[in-house]
Amino acid sequence: MSGDGSLSCASCHVPADGFTTPTRLSQSYPTTQHWRHTPSVIDSGYLKFLFWDGRAASLEQQALGPITTPFEMNKHIHYLTAELYEIPVYRKMFRQVFHAKNIITPEMVAEAISAFERTIVVTKTPFYSYIKGKKHAMSKKAIAGFKLFIGKASCIRCHYGPVFTDNNFHALGVPPLHLKGKRAKLVAETRHYFTYVNAHLKNSNRVKRDMGRYLITHKKSDLYKFLTPSLIDVGEMGPYYMHNGSIKGLLNVVKFFNKGGGNIPNKSKLIKPLHLTLKQEYEIVAFLKALDGPKFNIIAPKLPHFINKSKVASAVTSITTSATTPTPASAGAQFFAAHACFSCHTINGKGGSICPNLSHVGSQRTLAWIKTQIITPSAHFASGSMVTINGKSFMAVMPNSIGMSKSHLNALAKYLEGLK
């Protein structure tokens, strides 16, 4: 649902990674850079606030924000609803659910996404079994960690209740994320934009640090405060933690709190040195992992397409049956068909010539993708990055999250080269 079609909600909230992103900073729209780590969607229906700064009070409010934000999905919401309406399958589904004829509204889209998110809950963990009376559900180390959690370490002062959060905001002094070069510049751009749009600060370009909740409330008492995250499934959300992904690994998170957090104005009075031993730090980590549930295994549904199914079927048949004996080129043709490359690249003419679909908003990047992959079929590129090959600059748009192997890329190149 992004402006160029390269990002979905699941691009950042990856089911297999605890519905977050296994990188320090969240995925972002090509040519931009996000400035915060992706919060998990797990048990989000039980949260009082959404986003690290709490700017949304419901999943419905949260759902549309990333879609329209320039450095996230960068899609005009009314263009999106118009686009969804033009897909017969969606038009029928929205009519059945919302009983509204000839219309799909932003509110309907938000309700649909939120309804799905409320099903993403963890109901089975070793800890849940332990408190129900199964004393062997947690290891001795995890039990010791639980006692420290509610006792000496006092983690429970902020992480309590059904999903282990006080739904409040605290300034912890989380260390800044040290970036260099282009990424540092892009993060600064995003920070300045967000600061200007949300806090309306005239000197937003001078802001050097994420100001957290202050950007929403404009209260000095909220400076550098961020929402206490839920700890359910926290072990699956790694390896990076905190609002900026600056701390790697649960053990280092515990060490951060053990030393009393960082140095920052307005730091919470609850954050003090804990004087835990290394053994006790490991015990708390063991307990935190006992809050993990089974891995989510969500199979993505087959998405409906704009293009005519019969034409696609004939095109697929023509390229997948072009050779009786499997060759690298025929393997590439099958891969091309199986991964819906037709969404941007259309097949025309008896010879099967290939060209970008010029009606697609990303047509220029589509064409550059073909050139890039033919020249360097074994390389992996991040979506939207610029690469220089033989003195020429290309825009790389095949997302590396697809996970294509070098053999797949080589096969694709052989197929594309055969269309010259």
Side-chain angles (χ1 to χ4, degrees):
M1 296 194 295
S2 66
D4 68 347
S6 66
L7 295 172
S8 70
C9 301
S11 297
C12 299
H13 300 286
V14 185
D17 293 306
F19 283 90
T20 182
T21 308
T23 54
R24 293 189 186 277
L25 297 174
S26 179
Q27 287 272 65
S28 59
Y29 194 76
T31 74
T32 72
Q33 175 66 63
H34 210 294
W35 67 325
R36 288 175 176 169
H37 183 60
T38 307
S40 176
V41 180
I42 295 171
D43 285 348
S44 56
Y46 299 107
L47 301 179
K48 186 177 179 180
F49 298 100
L50 285 307
F51 295 111
W52 284 107
D53 51 32
R55 63 186 182 275
S58 70
L59 287 173
E60 284 76 11
Q61 289 182 16
Q62 183 276 333
L64 301 185
I67 294 174
T68 58
T69 301
F71 58 86
E72 294 189 67
M73 298 174 79
N74 197 25
K75 185 89 162 189
H76 194 289
I77 191 61
H78 291 297
Y79 191 94
L80 171 64
T81 55
E83 193 174 44
L84 292 173
Y85 184 80
E86 291 303 316
I87 303 175
V89 173
Y90 283 133
R91 190 160 63 239
K92 180 181 178 181
M93 292 174 70
F94 273 88
R95 184 170 62 248
Q96 289 174 337
V97 172
F98 295 98
H99 308 290
K101 293 184 179 180
N102 304 320
I103 189 171
I104 295 177
T105 67
E107 292 75 19
M108 293 177 187
V109 174
E111 285 190 46
I113 295 172
S114 301
F116 168 68
E117 288 180 318
R118 287 190 175 94
T119 69
I120 304 172
V121 295
V122 171
T123 58
K124 296 180 180 180
T125 70
F127 174 72
Y128 287 160
S129 298
Y130 176 79
I131 61 174
K132 289 178 181 178
K134 297 181 180 179
K135 300 304 179 184
H136 299 291
M138 289 203 306
S139 66
K140 291 182 179 179
K141 183 184 289 187
I143 293 173
F146 176 45
K147 291 178 180 178
L148 288 166
F149 187 91
I150 63 177
K152 181 180 178 180
S154 298
C155 310
I156 200 168
R157 288 181 298 184
C158 298
H159 293 283
Y160 58 82
V163 290
F164 286 80
T165 174
D166 59 359
N167 282 297
N168 210 334
F169 303 85
H170 303 278
L172 309 176
V174 173
L177 186 60
H178 297 290
L179 300 172
K180 296 181 180 179
K182 185 178 180 180
R183 289 192 73 200
K185 179 183 177 182
L186 291 174
V187 166
E189 290 174 2
T190 302
R191 181 174 61 250
H192 298 156
Y193 164 82
F194 193 92
T195 302
Y196 178 79
V197 170
N198 287 276
H200 308 292
L201 297 185
K202 294 181 180 180
N203 61 344
S204 61
N205 289 342
R206 298 180 183 178
V207 176
K208 303 298 182 183
R209 187 172 188 146
D210 191 337
M211 302 170 82
R213 181 70 171 162
Y214 172 81
L215 297 176
I216 309 305
T217 66
H218 300 183
K219 295 179 180 179
K220 288 187 177 180
S221 59
D222 284 331
L223 198 59
Y224 307 123
K225 287 185 176 181
F226 294 91
L227 183 64
T228 303
S230 166
L231 295 183
I232 300 299
D233 229 32
V234 67
E236 297 294 333
M237 298 175 194
Y240 301 104
Y241 297 92
M242 318 310 277
H243 71 273
N244 59 0
S246 61
I247 301 180
K248 184 177 182 180
L250 282 176
L251 180 60
N252 285 325
V253 173
V254 175
K255 286 182 177 294
F256 169 76
F257 284 103
N258 190 19
K259 71 177 185 178
N263 296 316
I264 197 169
N266 200 40
K267 189 169 79 169
S268 171
K269 294 180 181 180
L270 296 174
I271 307 301
K272 298 177 181 179
L274 304 176
H275 308 292
L276 300 172
T277 65
L278 180 61
K279 178 175 178 289
Q280 289 173 329
E281 289 177 340
Y282 274 106
E283 287 171 343
I284 291 177
V285 170
F287 167 66
L288 292 175
K289 290 183 178 180
L291 299 176
D292 292 350
K295 269 196 174 288
F296 283 88
N297 183 24
I298 294 179
I299 300 174
K302 185 177 181 180
L303 299 178
H305 296 286
F306 289 103
I307 50 182
N308 186 289
K309 290 184 178 180
S310 61
K311 289 183 179 180
V312 173
S314 62
V316 172
T317 302
S318 67
I319 67 172
T320 55
T321 59
S322 58
T324 55
T325 303
T327 64
S330 64
Q334 292 177 5
F335 193 79
F336 187 92
H339 287 265
C341 301
F342 295 110
S343 298
C344 299
H345 304 287
T346 55
I347 302 289
N348 297 310
K350 293 182 179 179
S353 61
I354 192 169
C355 68
N357 177 359
L358 297 179
S359 66
H360 189 267
V361 293
S363 58
Q364 292 182 337
R365 292 195 291 275
T366 299
L367 184 60
W369 172 75
I370 299 177
K371 294 177 181 177
T372 301
Q373 295 300 340
I374 288 177
I375 295 171
T376 57
S378 62
H380 289 261
F381 298 113
S383 180
S385 63
M386 295 300 298
V387 292
T388 301
I389 303 170
N390 297 333
K392 295 182 179 180
S393 183
F394 295 96
M395 174 75 81
V397 298
M398 174 56 75
N400 53 17
S401 60
I402 287 180
M404 290 194 297
S405 65
K406 289 185 178 181
S407 61
H408 281 146
L409 286 167
N410 274 300
L412 267 177
K414 289 291 183 183
Y415 168 63
L416 294 173
E417 286 173 340
L419 300 177
K420 289 181 179 179

